[in-house]
Amino acid sequence: MQKLSLLIPRGICLGTSGYIGKLPNTEIGWEISNIFNIGFDLGFFNSRLSATFDWYNKHTKDILLDVPVSSVIGIPVSVQNAGKMKKWGWELLVGWKDQVNKFSYSATFSLSDQRNEIIDLKGTGPFKGDRTITQEGYALNTLYAYVADGFYTSEEEIASSPKFEGYASQLKVGDIKYKDVNGDGEITTADRTMIGNPTPDVTYGFTLGLGYKNWELAVDMMGQGGNQIYRTWDNYNWSQFNFMEQRMDRWHGPGTSNTQPLLNTKHTINNMNSEYYIEDGSFFRIRNVQLAYNFDKTLISRIGMQALKLYVNIQNLCTITGYKGYDPEIGALNYNVLLRGVDDARYPSQRIYTFGLNFNF
């Protein structure tokens, strides 16, 4: 009996269905970053006042991309070192600390601004998701959807407006009207556009420390501004979800509302990914507060201790924001950087109360 042999070139992978997937890239390497930064550190009044400033410009090349390149035998090659991106920004830190008799205090303020831009995707982009886009000339993960252009106020307006592909028969007075961005007389997926940036224009922080005799108080605060959040958790039609309070001001007749569409779950046109679901993500948060008492060393030394501290701590004490979701501090959804700024009702930051003792023998 003759044997049948299958010769597979080294490095070629077979898929589960038995066909060759992609050739390996033996030239693949690390991405390369060139950073230029300038800064200064200053101190005044015997270092009671300090200031630090840093400005940077970072260019990164050879970012891994799945470039559509085929080999001489017609099999696609795997990822390439191809993408280019730049980041730039600045950070300022100012602090003051002093002591007057048995009273000590310190305060630190930080302010920063960071930006980014996609330079080159080597023909692989733009990367479009349901709500985000990564495109050359724009910031990473720019929010991307239809532009909400008010509401239909009459049947005549519906008849004279650009027709929404697949929804023309559903349109009613009170539905969201979307903008014909490309001017072709129809509302299609080609009319989606950049409608927000999840990256804050400014991030800031403030820490305060107070001490009197054996008592210590430490407060940590932070915030950000100029970013947008895309909320997805209120566009569901299922009965187990409550509507937001703002829907009380829904359109239900001429002159009733110019901010909320009609309340009808059958009108799925109002659930389209659009500017209607974009909100300002600015917030201020008291992130941590701790009050502590340090026992006198002469007292605790009698029981063999060098230090004993009793403290109470509160995390996420208070958040001031206009955002209607659970938590405005939105990172990347499911650790996917391309979904940064998308809020799918993830679990909010918890307020945590802690009591404890720290001691050293």
Side-chain angles (χ1 to χ4, degrees), residues 104-277:
S104 62
Y105 64 97
S106 64
T108 304
F109 176 74
S110 63
L111 184 68
S112 65
D113 179 17
Q114 302 182 39
R115 308 293 177 96
N116 69 81
E117 181 183 341
I118 303 298
I119 303 300
D120 193 357
L121 294 176
K122 293 297 182 183
T124 61
F127 300 117
K128 295 181 181 179
D130 289 338
R131 306 169 187 92
T132 63
I133 185 172
T134 296
Q135 181 174 327
E136 294 170 358
Y138 294 89
L140 176 70
N141 187 40
T142 300
L143 298 178
Y144 179 77
Y146 294 102
V147 176
D149 193 22
F151 303 105
Y152 293 109
T153 58
S154 65
E155 294 294 342
E156 291 75 17
E157 185 177 9
I158 294 175
S160 61
S161 298
K163 298 298 182 292
F164 200 127
E165 184 181 42
Y167 291 88
S169 61
Q170 184 191 98
L171 293 179
K172 299 292 183 182
V173 177
D175 282 331
I176 298 176
K177 181 171 62 174
Y178 300 107
K179 187 175 181 179
D180 180 16
V181 173
N182 62 7
D184 65 356
E186 294 182 316
I187 307 298
T188 66
T189 56
D191 291 302
R192 293 183 297 171
T193 188
M194 289 72 170
I195 55 174
N197 189 345
T199 303
D201 289 336
V202 62
T203 303
Y204 58 91
F206 183 69
T207 60
L208 177 66
L210 301 175
Y212 180 71
K213 293 184 177 180
N214 293 359
W215 290 94
E216 294 178 354
L217 176 66
V219 183
D220 180 18
M221 298 161 279
M222 57 86 67
Q224 64 184 35
N227 64 300
Q228 288 75 45
I229 296 174
Y230 193 105
R231 67 176 195 272
T232 68
W233 45 267
D234 72 320
N235 63 356
Y236 304 120
N237 291 327
W238 308 315
S239 59
Q240 66 264 34
F241 286 90
N242 290 325
F243 288 103
M244 296 175 63
E245 185 179 359
Q246 67 182 22
R247 299 305 297 276
M248 295 289 291
D249 188 32
R250 69 199 182 281
W251 188 96
H252 57 278
T256 55
S257 176
N258 60 1
T259 61
Q260 301 297 319
L262 59 82
L263 196 61
N264 188 329
T265 58
K266 295 181 180 179
H267 286 230
T268 55
I269 189 172
N270 297 319
N271 302 116
M272 303 296 294
N273 296 322
S274 76
E275 197 175 20
Y276 172 73
Y277 296 101

Side-chain angles (χ1 to χ4, degrees), residues 216 290-293 295 309-313 354-358:
E216 294 178 354
Q290 183 176 103
L291 179 64
Y293 180 81
F295 287 84
K309 176 188 286 189
L310 173 66
Y311 69 90
V312 57
N313 191 88
T354 306
F355 302 87
L357 281 171
N358 286 335

